[in-house]
Amino acid sequence: MKRVPVLLSAGLILLTMSCARPAGSGKVSNHPRVDSLMKVMTLEEKVGQMVLFTSDWTVTGPSMREGYIEDIRAGRCGNIFNAYTADYTRDLQRMAVEETRLGIPLLFGYDVIHGFRTIFPINLGMSCTWDPDAIGHSAEIAAREAAAAGLHWTYSPMCDVSVEPRWGRISEGSGEDPYLGSLIAAAMTRGYQGEDLADPATLLACVKHYAAYGAPQAGRDYNTVDMSERWLREFYLPPYKAAVDAGALSVMASFNELDGVPATANEHLLQDILRGEWGFRGFVVTDYTGIPEMIKHGYAEDLRDAARLAVKAGIDMDMVGPSYFEHLVELVRSGEVPMKTVDRAVRRILEVKAALGLFDDPYLYCDPEREVSETLTEDNKAAARTIASESMVLLKNDGILPLRKGERIAVIGALADSKDDLLGSWRGAGEVKSVPASIYDAIREYNGPARTSYAEGCKEFGEDRSGFARALATALPADKVVLVIGEDCQWSGEAASRTDIHVPGVQTELLERLKSMGKKVAVVLLNGRPLDLSKESDLADAILEAWYPGTMGGYAVSDVLFGEYNPAGRLSVTFPRNLGQVPIYHYAKNTGRPHEDPEAKYESRYLDVVNEPLYAFGYGLSYTSFEYSPVSLSAEEFSGDGFISAFVTVTNTGDREGTETVQMYVRDLVGSVTRPVKQLKGFRKVTLAPGESKEIEFKIDAQTLSFYRKDMSWGPETGDFKVFIGGSSDNTDEAAFRYEI
Ligand code: NOJ
């Protein structure tokens, strides 16, 4: 790494007098420089450290403050987001370090969500790998690329559990399960932050959107959230906590209200739980204009009131605001906000800057050489291609996949030749020009141009059928059709909710037309939410859910279609049969009238559709097949701190190597509060050669059986349980056991 000589301003001389004490990742120590700074900072300078403005390089929200450069120079803005490149961040950093009285370095943030320059699949897609280590590795690569471009801080991991396919931001999370989501949140945090935050190949993680942002009413972004404290703690909070436990040193408050109080001023969330119970020691930032939005929520009278409520609730940094910028000094002078509240917030922010190594070398992260050498490397692209293949879920296959090299293949569809859509939303600094191949390009390259043809057919939205004729003519001589359809990539992500979760436009009609010609059609889907695929699942001969697979996504799709990679992705979110079933998820309760008798009327059921989803959580096919032995137990009861083991033997019964995700769920049959019918408690990925068998063991102990009991204490209860093991939440074998406290 190249170290750049630092020009010392008067302020920096003051800062460098005491020697550095590196803090490990996830740790803040009382850094001596922070102590010395806190003694000399004016109130205005302190408030400056609590302000975060966006640069105009990228704008990720509805408003921005003009003149942020002057604010930096005046020491009134200590943090910037949406500015990157080593050169630009160095310029801004120089202003802060050399032109302000104390020379406190800026903190640079950015939305590095699923990659920075090398773009990985969208997070919902990556969660379908059920491979936290691989996802953590993607975060590590993203951090290396972003940190070389001058960035210190990413607004990730997004830890919002969601069962809401209407909500466009379901694409940014890890699906519907708190256990899987927690493992991924922790792995991403470790991936970003590494062993030592001061390592210039790492980024500070930011746990967002705290809390329960994934449960907006009616799936409309930013909408009201309301739920019981029990459900909040049991279902929504675990991934945020897992990221905090993994060492994340910043948290972003969410836009939504919870229990009538916006998260931005929610003392219960920010103080009782985050700091009180979880022991969080980093700083809390708002989400964009979260503070002024409290006026529209009907919670604050005006901007001044909103600033007061936020700072008192525990918001340390105001993103975009400009509530703290305009009102905090005066709020302290009037005595409405205690000085110690500001001191605490500033100290938290400065301690994180110290942990990042910025007081030792403010330019540590802006390195034009590393920016080139670390970015879009062959290794990074190879990792992106592998995880993209791993993220894809084969939903249906009547045997037309894998394709055979040399078949006449017509590649058709609105998204077949799009490089842009492969990147998805929140694509960091990823550029279309870095995408080497669309899906069509990659198939043609593999299969040969003479045997591969292409037609767009129609757009991904709208009613225009004028391309149908050409598409049908292109399909006519082909042995098989690959139809690439789905949602435009900007239809998911922030502010992208839908009330209709069908494949949009006339794309399904094109599928119908192709099928009525008698063609064998493999549908490849690019989308960022569970869709209603009831029509497509009837019509298509095969369906591959490819999500938005990133920079190398074209090749990854081709790898899976031709069987160069045997698909192994498993759904991390349930696909409903129609929107009326929503919310539908595997973690459901039994109810007092579960639907057991097909003839019965007074049961929990619909008149027009079955209760079961189209594709269940945990589901996904392979080009081989797996068989499970019955579940066996090491004992049928255990107690106290003991444990039992549940075993299955999994056999690859097909003729090619494949990877199975063996899933374990438990049910507590009678509890002081009701428990879900199937709660994911463990899984293992196992790769088996044809004919090979492996015994898989899951340990079950008191922790496995613990939950928030009636009195909200955490622990197990004496009683009867079931364990379920299988290859999907709806395809398991079970065994019964008893536990005594
Ligand atoms: C608003 C989004 O909700 C959040 O996820 C993002 O990190 C910020 N804007 C900053 O761009």
Side-chain angles (χ1 to χ4, degrees), residues 60 81 111 155 169 208-209 252 255 287-288 426 494:
T60 55
F81 73 119
D111 287 287
Y155 303 134
R169 303 200 80 171
K208 75 183 190 188
H209 306 83
M252 185 186 291
F255 286 126
D287 191 357
Y288 225 81
W426 290 114
E494 190 175 353

Side-chain angles (χ1 to χ4, degrees), residues 157-172:
M158 198 269 216
C159 301
D160 305 324
V161 171
S162 190
V163 296
E164 189 39 92
R166 288 171 291 189
W167 189 52
R169 303 200 80 171
I170 197 170
S171 62
E172 294 174 48

Side-chain angles (χ1 to χ4, degrees), residues 311-637:
V311 77
K312 290 187 113 168
I315 296 286
D316 303 305
M317 193 185 285
D318 177 8
M319 187 193 286
V320 182
S323 334
Y324 286 4
F325 182 86
E326 287 177 11
H327 296 288
L328 198 46
V329 168
E330 200 262 311
L331 279 165
V332 174
R333 295 229 161 97
S334 69
E336 286 161 275
V337 170
M339 189 64 206
K340 70 170 190 308
T341 304
V342 167
D343 281 345
R344 210 165 35 209
V346 174
R347 184 176 278 281
R348 286 173 186 148
I349 293 162
L350 294 181
E351 288 293 4
V352 170
K353 289 188 177 183
L356 284 160
L358 293 176
F359 289 127
D360 305 316
D361 180 354
Y363 304 106
L364 186 61
Y365 294 74
C366 351
D367 185 335
E369 279 174 26
R370 268 196 321 126
E371 191 175 20
V372 174
S373 65
E374 300 276 355
T375 294
L376 281 162
T377 63
E378 290 311 312
D379 282 354
N380 295 0
K381 288 192 277 187
R385 181 167 175 167
T386 304
I387 200 167
S389 306
E390 284 173 357
S391 72
M392 291 175 198
V393 186
L394 185 62
L395 297 176
K396 178 177 178 182
N397 188 13
D398 284 351
I400 72 160
L401 295 180
L403 303 173
R404 270 179 291 112
K405 192 170 180 164
E407 290 180 309
R408 282 168 305 172
I409 296 172
V411 185
I412 293 176
L415 301 171
D417 199 24
S418 167
K419 291 182 174 178
D420 181 41
D421 287 288
L422 295 176
L423 297 178
S425 78
W426 290 114
R427 55 182 62 179
E431 293 175 307
V432 175
K433 68 173 195 240
S434 309
V435 177
S438 66
I439 293 172
Y440 165 57
D441 294 334
I443 293 177
R444 189 187 47 202
E445 195 177 311
Y446 186 91
N447 198 46
R451 316 283 290 171
T452 313
S453 54
Y454 163 75
E456 185 185 39
C458 59
K459 298 285 177 206
E460 63 271 40
F461 41 72
E463 303 292 313
D464 185 359
R465 296 168 178 81
S466 59
F468 276 20
R470 175 135 182 261
L472 301 181
T474 305
L476 197 60
D479 301 315
K480 288 177 184 167
V481 175
V482 172
L483 181 67
V484 188
I485 55 177
E487 296 174 302
D488 179 279
C489 68
Q490 295 308 327
W491 280 36
S492 52
E494 190 175 353
S497 296
R498 296 183 64 195
T499 61
D500 174 352
I501 56 167
H502 287 103
V503 174
V506 293
Q507 299 178 96
T508 304
E509 207 179 305
L510 179 56
L511 169 61
E512 268 164 343
R513 298 284 294 275
L514 289 163
K515 281 309 298 174
S516 61
M517 287 168 67
K519 286 288 146 192
K520 294 277 180 207
V521 183
V523 166
V524 174
L525 285 168
L526 301 190
N527 54 293
R529 55 164 54 80
L531 292 171
D532 172 347
L533 298 175
S534 33
K535 268 194 175 174
E536 294 75 6
S537 66
D538 273 348
L539 289 165
D541 300 281
I543 303 181
L544 179 68
E545 174 56 79
W547 309 109
Y548 298 113
T551 303
M552 301 303 286
Y555 287 124
V557 168
S558 167
D559 290 344
V560 173
L561 290 176
F562 285 102
E564 292 291 337
Y565 179 87
N566 187 357
R570 299 290 179 265
L571 290 179
S572 63
V573 67
T574 302
F575 275 48
R577 285 177 193 275
N578 61 33
L579 192 55
Q581 285 188 318
V582 167
I584 180 167
Y585 50 95
H586 71 289
Y587 200 107
K589 305 283 186 79
N590 206 35
T591 82
R593 292 187 178 188
H595 186 34
E596 289 162 343
D597 172 359
E599 305 303 321
K601 175 173 172 63
Y602 295 103
E603 289 188 352
S604 181
R605 54 174 291 200
Y606 300 102
L607 292 177
D608 53 353
V609 74
V610 297
N611 283 3
E612 289 70 34
L614 188 59
Y615 299 117
F617 175 84
Y619 171 80
L621 300 172
S622 161
Y623 294 147
T624 187
S625 50
F626 300 99
E627 251 177 46
Y628 282 69
S629 69
V631 176
S632 66
L633 297 176
S634 59
E636 281 172 12
E637 51 184 71

Side-chain angles (χ1 to χ4, degrees), residues 47-126:
V47 171
Q49 291 302 308
M50 297 170 71
V51 167
L52 166 65
F53 285 146
T54 172
S55 114
D56 44 7
W57 277 44
T58 313
V59 177
T60 55
S63 59
M64 67 164 289
R65 193 185 143 75
E66 303 289 333
Y68 63 93
I69 293 199
E70 286 322 304
D71 299 327
I72 294 171
R73 289 198 159 111
R76 297 198 63 201
C77 169
N79 314 281
I80 290 289
F81 73 119
N82 287 339
Y84 58 90
T85 73
D87 288 341
Y88 188 49
T89 54
R90 175 178 289 273
D91 281 352
L92 297 180
Q93 192 68 297
R94 196 179 294 118
M95 290 172 203
V97 169
E98 292 180 21
E99 297 182 31
T100 65
R101 189 177 78 96
L102 296 175
I104 302 172
L106 291 168
L107 181 69
F108 290 109
Y110 197 64
D111 287 287
V112 181
I113 307 297
H114 52 107
F116 181 62
R117 294 274 190 198
T118 305
I119 302 303
F120 295 91
I122 58 164
N123 302 78
L124 184 60
M126 281 202 280

Side-chain angles (χ1 to χ4, degrees), residues 241-265:
K241 177 169 189 301
V244 168
D245 288 346
L249 281 177
S250 74
V251 166
M252 185 186 291
S254 52
F255 286 126
N256 55 284
E257 67 165 66
L258 187 65
D259 196 17
V261 180
T264 307

Side-chain angles (χ1 to χ4, degrees), residues 658-730:
T659 301
E660 171 70 327
T661 302
V662 186
Q663 302 157 38
M664 178 189 69
Y665 300 83
V666 295
R667 177 172 181 195
D668 185 341
L669 298 191
V670 179
S672 61
V673 292
T674 60
R675 304 300 304 137
V677 176
K678 277 183 183 169
Q679 189 180 358
L680 182 70
K681 282 293 178 178
F683 60 88
R684 284 264 213 297
K685 289 190 77 156
V686 51
T687 300
L688 299 172
E692 190 185 353
S693 296
K694 236 179 218 161
E695 186 183 64
I696 308 288
E697 175 182 1
F698 290 102
K699 285 209 163 110
I700 300 171
D701 61 13
Q703 196 54 32
T704 321
L705 309 180
S706 293
F707 64 103
Y708 290 103
R709 296 171 289 204
K710 191 165 194 180
D711 63 359
M712 291 304 272
S713 64
W714 173 260
E717 288 179 344
T718 292
D720 293 322
F721 294 81
K722 275 186 179 175
V723 55
F724 308 83
I725 302 180
S728 167
S729 64
D730 65 348

